[in-house]
Amino acid sequence: MGIKNDIKNSDIAKILHKIGFLVEIYESDHSNATFKARSYKRASDVIASLSSNIYEIYMKDGLDGLLQIPSVGKAIASKIEEFITTGKIHYFEKLKSKTSVNIDEFYNLEGIGISPKTIKVLHNNLGIKDLSELQNALLEGRLRNIPGFTRRKEETILKKIQLFKKGIGRYLLGDVYPLVKQIESRLSNIDGVTKAIAAGSFRRMKETIGDIDYIVSSDNPEKVMDYFVTMPEVEEILGKGQSKTFVRLNNGMDADLLVVPEESFGSALQYFTGSKEHGVAMRKIALAKHLHLNEWGVFDNYQNRIAGSTEEQVYQVLDLDWIPPEIRENAGEIELAIKGINGLPKLIQYDNLKGDLQVHSNSTDGTVSIEEMALTAKDKFGLEYIALTDHTKSLKLTKGLDEKQLLDQANRIEEINDKIRYGQEYTQQHIRNEQGSEASIQGNFRVLSAAEANIMKDGSLDISNNILDKLDLVGAAIHSSFTQPIEVQTERLVKAAQNPSVDIIFHPTGRLINKREGYCVNIGKLVEAAKDTDTVLEIDSYYDRLDLKDEYVRMAIQNNVRLVIDSDAHHPVHFAFLKFGIAQARRGWAEKSDVLNTLPVDTLLESLK
Ligand code: DGT
Ligand code: CA
Ligand code: CA
Ligand code: ZN
């Protein structure tokens, strides 16, 4: 039995995930099955995003090497070893042989909340074996006869499957962002490379990315392309030409590379940043000026290149102001960019936020203390304030705070702030950052007492106004009863906006990109209510939420509704998500003055309702 030498991390990640899925179906009688399933899935996640190659780790250090990988214990390490040395995992084959269910089609659905247990019930009751059988059963209304299922549930599952199919092949920006940037920086460090930029939808900071498009300027394309195809993340070379290369990465995503000479870098970048619609409109403008615009430059009728080395030049010779990539959608931006009109919005900048108004702590479902969140916000992300918005009591899953706990927490926050303000010796032993070193949060930083109050089915809140009014600010959000009719759902949010204690509506549509359609809301009506009541609407920067979406941001701004951009951080690293919220705001044409948390804390508090 020879060792398979082309084993990819993604193969291992997939099979471990499938084992986790099957364990949950077939060992659900054992008490530790859930735990076991979870450890397989955790290991799978870690391996999928590992930058070093597992096969190489094993060849170098054997089982010990595998055990160094986070979340990989003895049982899993030996299964990986078995897979590398035999190409199979006996345990997986055994689990699989117990069923005719098409595990390859189903295991992915777990990501959208269709659990292994549901699959098991459907298989036992209706003999459903694969995705198309499930879809047919749903369309024919056969699930509603099974105990525990309803017509409503049928509709939900069907919607989820449709959404899932639509999302196949597209990646969340936040999931791929670190990798794309890392490769970009490695490309720019190659000898002879003057510039390297990830263009396409990535540069436009779209919510989801189909593939990556790298544009590199170098006089030695061979060298760049040789590096590109041998990167550790490359799973397959799809094509290689004189200046273009296409590969598939081990996370399944395709990456294109175009290497151009320096005099064409700007025009290539402009072309491949897109959007296609923006590019088409630009070319029309060029033609009207008797010019030709393509990836190699802007040319006159005699084939003289009159622009091309920078993007600014390309726009300039077309008598246009340079347009930020986030709004290149041919949605009115080109008309406003015509020289002399000065009509482009002055988009909010990536360093404009001074605070973050939705932050969670381990008082509820966050992972660390208030102090640690504050320290990270201040020292690592340069913020001046955060609002501590733990969940409230009716959200039992998160151990939401009741009235007394909210007030206690507000008092604790006051103590922390007093110490900051008066600069007392505040070298608390209990404030330790992740490295374990001591630090203090002295200086110009403030924690605001706040809450993410839960909006009940009828639009009321689960905490009374006299308690909420003792906090610095209040956000309100829907976390349950997602599937009410649009009028009911809209009325619920409008009522929350009309509540005098509510300053902000958090994640106003509740969608999870590629996983869950938001609740049906008439956004126009919500925007109107927000305007009438001076309520702020939130852009939630968590990269699978990002509601409001771009067109709603634009609608809010046109109606003079004020916005905030929050991280919704449940862990210190989540503050990094703020850039996705800012990108979303930019794609919705938001300026700095449209976003309240660009203000210093005092002005911010004064301008809340
Ligand atoms: P994606 O990858 O689906 O998330 O979206 P994009 O925008 O990155 O699209 P992609 O990768 O197909 O192409 C990158 C850019 O190249 C695109 O934004 C504009 C440009 N492009 C591609 N095909 C065409 C085309 O047929 N005409 C024009 N004018 N531009 C194109
Ligand atoms: Ca692309
Ligand atoms: Ca592409
Ligand atoms: Zn939470």
Side-chain angles (χ1 to χ4, degrees):
M1 247 176 284
I3 287 180
K4 271 185 83 181
N5 60 8
D6 59 344
I7 295 207
K8 298 157 197 148
N9 288 4
S10 53
D11 297 334
I12 298 171
K14 255 182 223 159
I15 196 166
L16 293 179
H17 190 144
K18 288 178 192 173
I19 292 178
F21 194 90
L22 287 168
V23 164
E24 221 172 330
I25 293 189
Y26 290 103
E27 299 198 354
S28 52
D29 312 332
H30 298 283
S31 57
N32 69 342
T34 314
F35 177 78
K36 196 168 162 188
R38 215 177 282 152
S39 33
Y40 274 100
K41 285 174 205 160
R42 207 176 308 124
S44 162
D45 285 346
V46 168
I47 288 169
S49 57
L50 210 63
S51 60
S52 34
N53 183 286
I54 300 233
Y55 170 77
E56 280 162 20
I57 293 176
Y58 177 75
M59 292 318 282
K60 189 159 162 280
D61 296 324
L63 212 50
D64 285 342
L66 298 179
L67 285 166
Q68 299 300 313
I69 302 166
S71 297
V72 173
K74 274 193 189 141
I76 294 181
S78 71
K79 295 206 172 52
I80 298 175
E81 177 177 50
E82 186 187 348
F83 189 58
I84 292 176
T85 52
T86 71
K88 278 191 173 156
I89 297 178
H90 180 70
Y91 180 52
F92 174 62
E93 302 298 328
K94 198 179 89 192
L95 286 171
K96 216 166 68 160
S97 69
K98 292 188 187 175
T99 180
S100 51
V101 165
N102 186 336
I103 175 76
D104 296 323
E105 284 192 359
F106 281 137
Y107 84 101
N108 266 325
L109 294 183
E110 205 175 0
I112 55 170
I114 300 176
S115 72
K117 284 188 188 106
T118 306
I119 302 290
K120 185 182 183 181
V121 171
L122 295 178
H123 181 244
N124 291 347
N125 282 274
L126 300 173
I128 289 172
K129 292 191 296 295
D130 58 32
L131 199 53
S132 70
E133 284 182 10
L134 173 55
Q135 224 168 344
N136 283 339
L138 285 163
L139 291 169
E140 290 160 12
R142 284 191 276 132
L143 265 64
R144 65 190 72 161
N145 305 321
I146 305 173
F149 287 84
T150 57
R151 211 185 150 130
R152 170 78 54 87
K153 203 162 171 191
E154 268 180 354
E155 282 165 15
T156 317
I157 296 180
L158 192 59
K159 260 201 201 135
K160 281 181 176 178
I161 291 176
Q162 284 159 348
L163 206 64
F164 172 75
K165 286 189 152 174
K166 208 173 85 188
I168 282 178
R170 294 198 70 82
Y171 295 77
L172 295 183
L173 176 64
D175 276 336
V176 300
Y177 192 90
L179 175 68
V180 175
K181 282 305 218 189
Q182 202 197 90
I183 294 178
E184 185 185 72
S185 114
R186 275 156 30 198
L187 287 170
S188 61
N189 285 332
I190 297 173
D191 260 356
V193 167
T194 47
K195 286 176 204 109
I197 292 186
S201 52
F202 180 85
R203 185 162 178 243
R204 304 201 313 282
M205 297 290 273
K206 298 282 281 184
E207 294 162 359
T208 64
I209 306 300
D211 72 354
I212 324 168
D213 309 274
Y214 287 106
I215 311 297
V216 170
S217 91
S218 167
D219 292 335
N220 190 348
E222 269 305 312
K223 188 170 176 181
V224 182
M225 297 195 308
D226 284 347
Y227 170 77
F228 193 66
V229 296
T230 53
M231 295 189 303
E233 294 86 358
V234 171
E235 178 161 305
E236 196 181 342
I237 301 169
L238 303 173
K240 201 167 174 222
Q242 292 203 317
S243 60
K244 275 187 186 176
T245 307
F246 309 97
V247 298
R248 178 154 301 151
L249 304 179
N250 55 17
N251 65 357
M253 186 168 51
D254 290 352
D256 303 350
L257 167 71
L258 174 69
V259 188
V260 294
E262 221 169 332
E263 67 260 27
S264 291
F265 182 78
S267 42
L269 183 61
Q270 200 283 325
Y271 183 94
F272 287 102
T273 294
S275 66
K276 190 172 162 183
E277 292 73 19
H278 180 90
V280 168
M282 291 273 290
R283 240 163 312 157
K284 265 194 201 146
I285 291 186
L287 283 177
K289 296 183 187 299
H290 305 288
L291 298 171
H292 284 273
L293 166 66
N294 60 32
E295 7 352 1
W296 306 104
V298 185
F299 300 90
D300 65 16
N301 276 339
Y302 309 98
Q303 292 302 310
N304 298 314
R305 184 202 315 270
I306 60 165
S309 66
T310 71
E311 247 189 1
E312 284 78 2
Q313 261 185 17
V314 170
Y315 283 92
Q316 170 79 32
V317 297
L318 300 183
D319 291 318
L320 297 172
D321 290 328
W322 180 82
I323 300 174
E326 292 91 332
I327 59 169
R328 295 186 193 170
E329 299 293 337
N330 195 26
E333 76 280 6
I334 294 179
E335 290 79 354
L336 295 176
I338 294 170
K339 286 271 181 222
I341 290 188
N342 254 341
L344 282 174
K346 299 187 178 33
L347 301 183
I348 178 173
Q349 303 285 317
Y350 284 97
D351 61 358
N352 278 164
L353 293 187
K354 288 199 162 64
D356 184 346
L357 301 183
Q358 193 191 159
V359 175
H360 298 264
S361 78
N362 58 9
S363 306
T364 60
D365 64 346
T367 42
V368 305
S369 66
I370 298 172
E371 289 88 340
E372 201 171 316
M373 289 307 263
L375 267 178
T376 311
K378 174 176 175 283
D379 293 338
K380 296 208 176 124
F381 293 90
L383 297 178
E384 296 174 8
Y385 55 92
I386 57 173
L388 232 289
T389 53
D390 275 316
H391 293 284
T392 50
K393 65 181 180 187
S394 60
L395 211 56
K396 300 248 163 42
L397 260 176
T398 68
K399 300 196 210 78
L401 306 181
D402 64 19
E403 288 81 354
K404 178 169 181 309
Q405 290 168 317
L406 269 178
L407 294 182
D408 284 351
Q409 174 141 312
N411 285 334
R412 268 201 299 136
I413 287 172
E414 254 335 287
E415 281 168 23
I416 293 171
N417 282 326
D418 280 347
K419 287 172 184 163
I420 299 171
R421 208 168 296 136
Y422 301 120
Q424 283 175 16
E425 290 175 55
Y426 195 60
T427 51
Q428 317 90 327
Q429 291 82 338
H430 63 282
I431 297 186
R432 289 168 180 277
N433 63 19
E434 275 165 298
Q435 285 75 44
S437 65
E438 278 187 23
S440 76
I441 47 175
Q442 291 187 10
N444 189 19
F445 189 86
R446 179 152 169 208
V447 183
L448 300 171
S449 61
E452 178 175 2
N454 199 15
I455 302 176
M456 310 305 284
K457 206 168 172 178
D458 64 358
S460 64
L461 302 181
D462 62 342
I463 303 287
S464 63
N465 287 30
N466 62 336
I467 303 290
L468 294 177
D469 289 343
K470 295 198 165 71
L471 306 176
D472 289 320
L473 68 88
V474 175
I478 287 180
H479 296 97
S480 56
S481 308
F482 288 161
T483 53
Q484 303 195 76
I486 184 162
E487 301 79 28
V488 180
Q489 207 67 288
T490 306
E491 192 45 40
R492 210 175 154 193
L493 283 169
V494 167
K495 204 168 154 201
Q498 286 165 342
N499 187 321
S501 300
V502 171
D503 301 295
I504 309 170
I505 302 288
F506 284 163
H507 49 74
T509 76
R511 69 164 173 173
L512 294 177
I513 301 173
N514 285 354
K515 283 190 191 167
R516 180 173 84 198
E517 213 92 56
Y519 20 88
C520 296
V521 181
N522 182 330
I523 295 283
K525 281 211 173 121
L526 175 62
V527 163
E528 211 171 287
K531 182 184 174 189
D532 293 344
T533 58
D534 224 7
T535 306
V536 180
L537 298 182
E538 183 195 60
I539 297 173
D540 190 310
S541 308
Y542 226 90
Y543 61 80
D544 63 352
R545 291 189 174 271
L546 294 176
D547 48 3
L548 305 168
K549 65 175 169 182
D550 49 0
E551 64 184 279
Y552 297 156
V553 170
R554 228 172 140 179
M555 185 197 287
I557 291 168
Q558 278 162 358
N559 286 281
N560 293 318
V561 168
R562 300 168 311 162
L563 304 172
V564 291
I565 301 172
D566 299 332
S567 68
D568 199 353
H570 286 69
H571 184 280
V573 300
H574 294 166
F575 289 116
F577 296 165
L578 284 169
K579 65 172 159 296
F580 304 122
I582 298 170
Q584 190 79 350
R586 286 168 65 85
R587 292 198 305 101
W589 293 41
E591 304 195 347
K592 186 179 174 189
S593 59
D594 295 313
V595 179
L596 280 187
N597 52 328
T598 58
L599 296 170
V601 66
D602 293 334
T603 331
L604 166 89
L605 290 174
E606 280 163 24
S607 38
L608 294 175
K609 81 181 181 199

